[in-house]
Amino acid sequence: MADHFVEYPAPTTDARAVDYSFTPAEIAQVQQHVAKYPDKTSVVMPTLWIAQEKFGVLSTGAIQLVADTLGLSFAHVYGVATFYTMYLKRGVPAQPFHLVEVCTCFTCGECGGRELMAHAKKALALDGEGMSADGRFWVREAECLGACDTPVPVQIDNRRMAFNVDASKFDQIVEGLRRDQTPPFESVPARKLELQ
Ligand code: FES
């Protein structure tokens, strides 16, 4: 394994008591998904997403809630939750955090991704799992984000993309997020093809 990859921990037991339950409105949302498919295993992913939106991360309690809600085994839901990187597996954080993902995959890694990650580690005093010293940011390396011609792309909170991010733009993004301001939408910059 290349040394710039970090192994992320498996879902952990919660450090504090959390009421793992869905509201009637959330159950109704789950039921809408259930109605679309012949079997409930197809609904694991949207239900995990609902749980993640609610609890911030998928700790064991959240995974168990999804399993119980759908009448499936913990092992099955755990397997799905741990397969996909967009599902966040951590213990319950002390406070809400922003997830910032820096592409260090091959193209971006060669075009500044690794340097940007090193900058992030230093600027935010990240620990071994990528959590900032103040607990406000979880920064991690991403595999290809599908914007290889705009190195370095950064994905924020699984929703917003920023392109051509260098250290200075990264710092601006972080400063905005400290005030809970998501960076403005950017369309993928178009490149002119120079055909010879
Ligand atoms: S390698 Fe970074 S977006 Fe594709």
Side-chain angles (χ1 to χ4, degrees):
M1 179 180 290
D3 59 5
H4 63 278
F5 285 104
V6 176
E7 277 194 77
Y8 297 106
T12 50
T13 306
D14 304 336
R16 61 186 167 89
V18 174
D19 173 18
Y20 284 107
S21 59
F22 284 137
T23 63
E26 289 158 349
I27 294 283
Q29 231 183 314
V30 172
Q31 289 308 331
Q32 281 176 1
H33 289 297
V34 169
K36 289 187 262 179
Y37 302 101
D39 112 33
K40 286 185 179 171
T41 54
S42 304
V43 187
V44 170
M45 292 182 72
T47 310
L48 281 170
W49 195 256
I50 292 168
Q52 179 166 292
E53 291 287 289
K54 177 167 187 163
F55 302 110
V57 290
L58 294 172
S59 56
T60 50
I63 292 172
Q64 186 68 60
L65 171 65
V66 172
D68 292 346
T69 302
L70 297 176
L72 299 171
S73 71
F74 178 89
H76 180 87
V77 179
Y78 178 97
V80 177
T82 51
F83 183 80
Y84 296 100
T85 57
M86 285 177 78
Y87 292 126
L88 308 179
K89 283 80 65 177
R90 295 188 67 101
V92 177
Q95 58 180 323
F97 61 83
H98 291 287
L99 174 66
V100 179
E101 295 177 287
V102 177
C103 183
T104 56
C105 203
F106 183 73
T107 307
C108 298
E110 288 298 306
C111 297
R114 284 193 286 276
E115 289 80 0
L116 186 61
M117 196 63 205
H119 170 77
K121 278 182 186 163
K122 200 168 164 192
L124 293 170
L126 303 180
D127 67 16
E129 292 176 15
M131 188 58 81
S132 65
D134 62 5
R136 298 283 315 278
F137 299 93
W138 180 13
V139 185
R140 61 181 189 172
E141 298 180 52
E143 293 298 328
C144 180
L145 290 171
C148 315
D149 66 338
T150 63
V152 176
V154 168
Q155 181 169 261
I156 298 122
D157 291 331
N158 269 337
R159 285 190 171 76
R160 183 56 48 85
M161 292 283 294
F163 306 100
N164 299 312
V165 179
D166 56 12
S168 151
K169 186 168 177 179
F170 182 89
D171 291 345
Q172 283 172 24
I173 291 169
V174 165
E175 277 319 302
L177 291 172
R178 282 192 192 287
R179 299 189 296 277
D180 287 326
Q181 290 173 353
T182 305
F185 171 79
E186 292 177 56
S187 55
V188 180
R191 293 277 159 96
K192 275 192 190 154
L193 267 184
E194 306 269 341
L195 297 176
Q196 312 233 339

